């Protein structure tokens, strides 16, 4: 369904995120017919470019990063027609008048802050000063949203001076992933799971986001963040919330976000013994973490595993194990809900007691499977085996399941439609920092250092111990 004509201004329009994600996502939405012809995308950055030069950058970004197969030839030219460019100085006065002259009154306009957080304030201020912060405007901000509670509060306060909360879209791109949304569909669209979704039936839950890449060219940023700030405070926390929250009364922004916030507030503090931090070492032909971030004394972590408890009626007694890291053995993200064993085996001790496992695969191979116990075929008596009921989207849904839209496509269109359900509210972000801050401060005061792990492995040995101690084991990363 096409969205109403809009103007999307991308501050930092020539930057990495714009080229890799934002522009290709908009192009795909254009190909699918969701963007009306009058809609415009306006790049805004410091570089002194002409409109044609910026269009060239956009064309190159599409050639390099668009993965969709369903764009017809000729669409790139039509898309480029929608592109404009203004040279704007975020901290000065240059370009602002030109930008405001371009705006069409009464039309939805979104300002995407794809820039360093230090520019959020100056940009919001200037948009306001130049009459562009009206009721039709919304702003989109990227992570990192602060680096602790104090900085996140300050950012929220700055944005709140010029924009209402209903106009602020804080992106966590994990919420735009198709399977993450499916998590809510599965939980609240079926009768089957919800009655069992509690500590009485669920033994534990594992959330794994494993990457094969290292820190890439982002060493400086990454070393200041580590996996805790880069992944746990936001992406893993959001997954945890969606898995653990109470059913919202409706699928509406505040109803969903209220429930997520309650989960964050119910998280216990994490004891140091329940966290393992790792740093990847060197391997043949590749240097170690400290070299990658160009800091021989780097103390931040590229891997983290932790046991988290939610102290509320539903989850007390069911631990959540979270794990994320770089340079691991496979790129694989999943949530596994491991149910309790059957209380008794009517088939005798040798048949064993079995458990169901629901696995939601975020990437790759988006889909779900549910391990169920059945009789092993054949005349050999009542032997039981566990087999997965597999729903791989690409197989179950045909071509539509194969061409899964990128998270940014969904999220940007939601901004235009004015739907904040899949965006983080200010209080949610602050609550997440309030939970992570003491953990990070603890490492700093104690001078804790991450342990080393082998690139291409499943992470440090200590992470295995963390879960073995509880008589459980990690799901294999594959
Ligand atoms: C980003 C992190 O937010 O998410 C990166 O900053 C990480 O370090 C990335 O690699 C992972 O996203 P995805 O979509 O590839 O799982």
């Amino acid at each position: 369904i096409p969205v109403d004509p809009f103007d999307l201004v991308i501050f930092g329009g020539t930057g990495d995120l714009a080229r890799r994600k934002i522009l290709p996502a908009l192009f795909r939405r254009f190909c699918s017919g969701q963007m009306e012809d009058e809609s415009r995308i306006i790049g805004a950055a410091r570089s002194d470019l002409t409109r044609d030069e910026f269009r060239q950058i956009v064309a190159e970004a599409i050639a390099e990063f668009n993965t969709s197969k369903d764009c017809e030839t000729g669409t790139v030219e039509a898309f480029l027609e929608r592109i404009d460019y203004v040279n704007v100085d975020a901290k000065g006065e240059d370009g602002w008048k030109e930008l405001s002259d371009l705006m069409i009154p009464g039309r939805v306009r979104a300002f995407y802050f794809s820039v360093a957080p230090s520019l959020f304030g100056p940009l919001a201020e200037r948009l306001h000063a130049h009459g562009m912060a009206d009721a039709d405007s919304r702003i989109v901000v990227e992570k990192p949203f602060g680096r602790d509670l104090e900085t996140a509060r300050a950012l929220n306060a700055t944005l709140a001076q010029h924009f209402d909360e209903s106009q602020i879209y804080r992106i966590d791109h994990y919420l735009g992933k198709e399977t993450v949304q499916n998590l809510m569909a599965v939980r609240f669209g079926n009768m089957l799971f919800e009655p069992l979704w509690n500590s009485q039936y669920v033994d534990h839950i594992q959330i794994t986001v494993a990457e094969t890449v290292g820190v890439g060219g982002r060493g400086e940023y990454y070393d200041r963040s580590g996996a805790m700030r880069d992944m746990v405070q936001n992406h893993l926390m959001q997954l945890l919330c969606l898995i653990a929250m109470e059913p919202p009364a409706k699928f509406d922004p505040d109803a969903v976000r209220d429930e997520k916030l309650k989960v964050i507030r119910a998280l216990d503090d994490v004891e140091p013994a329940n966290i393992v931090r790792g740093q990847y070492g060197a391997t043949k032909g590749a240097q170690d973490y400290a070299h990658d971030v160009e800091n021989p004394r780097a103390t931040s972590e590229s891997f983290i595993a932790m046991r988290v408890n939610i102290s509320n009626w539903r989850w007390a007694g069911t631990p959540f194990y979270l794990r994320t890291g770089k340079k691991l053995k496979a790129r694989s993200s999943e949530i596994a809900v491991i149910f309790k064993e059957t209380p008794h085996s009517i088939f005798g001790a040798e048949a064993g007691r079995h458990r169901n496992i629901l696995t939601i695969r975020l990437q790759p191979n988006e889909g779900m499977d549910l391990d169920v116990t059945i009789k092993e075929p054949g005349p050999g008596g009542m032997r039981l085996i566990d087999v997965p009921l597999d729903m791989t989207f690409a197989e179950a849904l045909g071509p539509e399941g194969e061409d899964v839209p990128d998270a940014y496509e969904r999220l940007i269109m939601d901004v235009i439609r004015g739907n904040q359900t899949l965006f983080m509210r200010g209080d949610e972000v602050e609550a997440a920092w309030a939970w992570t801050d003491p953990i990070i401060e603890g490492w700093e005061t104690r001078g804790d250092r991450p342990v080393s792990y082998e690139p291409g492995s499943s992470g440090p040995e200590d992470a295995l111990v963390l879960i073995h101690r509880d008589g459980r084991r990690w799901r294999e990363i594959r």
Side-chain angles (χ1 to χ4, degrees), residues 12 84 152 175 222 274 279 286 304 316-317 334 355 373 386 404 416 419-420 433 454:
D84 212 330
L175 290 178
Y222 197 88
N274 286 330
Q279 241 182 35
I304 199 155
E334 62 162 49
R355 55 168 95 238
T373 304
D386 296 331
V404 178
I416 305 300
N419 184 348
Q420 289 186 303
W433 282 122
E454 211 179 306

Side-chain angles (χ1 to χ4, degrees), residues 21 142-143 172-174 177 209-211 213-214 218 221-222 230-231 234-235 326 331 333 363 406-408:
K21 293 287 183 186
E142 274 289 341
K143 68 175 267 260
D172 183 310
H173 78 282
Y174 266 58
K177 287 187 191 277
V209 178
E211 299 185 278
V213 292
R218 305 155 72 226
Y221 152 78
Y222 197 88
D230 185 52
M231 298 292 288
N234 37 78
H235 305 325
K326 299 210 180 279
R331 177 172 188 253
S333 301
Q363 59 199 24
D406 183 75
Y408 279 88

Side-chain angles (χ1 to χ4, degrees), residues 351-365:
R353 284 159 59 198
H354 292 255
R355 55 168 95 238
N356 301 111
I357 300 177
L358 175 69
T359 313
I360 297 140
R361 297 190 302 272
L362 308 186
Q363 59 199 24
N365 269 336

Side-chain angles (χ1 to χ4, degrees), residues 320-368:
F320 286 67
Y321 297 91
L322 315 185
R323 177 174 57 154
T324 183
K326 299 210 180 279
K327 288 225 179 175
L328 296 179
K329 93 193 234 212
R331 177 172 188 253
S332 155
S333 301
E334 62 162 49
I335 299 169
V337 180
I338 293 102
F339 288 91
K340 289 193 170 163
E341 285 181 345
T342 47
H344 161 71
S345 171
I346 67 165
F347 308 108
E350 65 282 11
R353 284 159 59 198
H354 292 255
R355 55 168 95 238
N356 301 111
I357 300 177
L358 175 69
T359 313
I360 297 140
R361 297 190 302 272
L362 308 186
Q363 59 199 24
N365 269 336
E366 284 95 339
M368 297 187 330

Side-chain angles (χ1 to χ4, degrees), residues 421-442:
T421 311
L422 300 176
F423 295 83
M424 292 179 296
R425 209 168 52 191
D427 51 2
E428 240 185 289
V429 179
E430 289 182 14
W433 282 122
W435 179 74
T436 37
D437 274 4
I439 301 175
I440 298 173
E441 280 160 21

Side-chain angles (χ1 to χ4, degrees), residues 254-319:
D254 280 331
V256 171
R257 297 184 299 177
D258 286 346
E259 295 307 334
K260 288 198 293 168
L261 181 61
K262 285 186 212 159
V263 173
I264 306 175
R265 292 196 172 145
L267 292 174
D268 281 358
D269 292 346
V270 186
E271 298 291 320
N274 286 330
I275 308 190
V276 173
R277 302 162 74 210
Q279 241 182 35
Y280 59 78
T283 183
K284 228 187 288 157
Q287 50 191 12
D288 64 5
Y289 176 83
H291 282 88
D292 277 356
V293 300
E294 294 176 16
N295 175 7
R297 279 195 291 276
T299 53
S300 50
E301 69 287 343
S302 60
F303 173 96
I304 199 155
M306 59 203 297
R307 179 192 147 121
V308 173
N309 296 321
I310 304 177
S311 276
N312 65 13
W313 195 277
R314 185 187 284 262
W315 292 119
T318 294

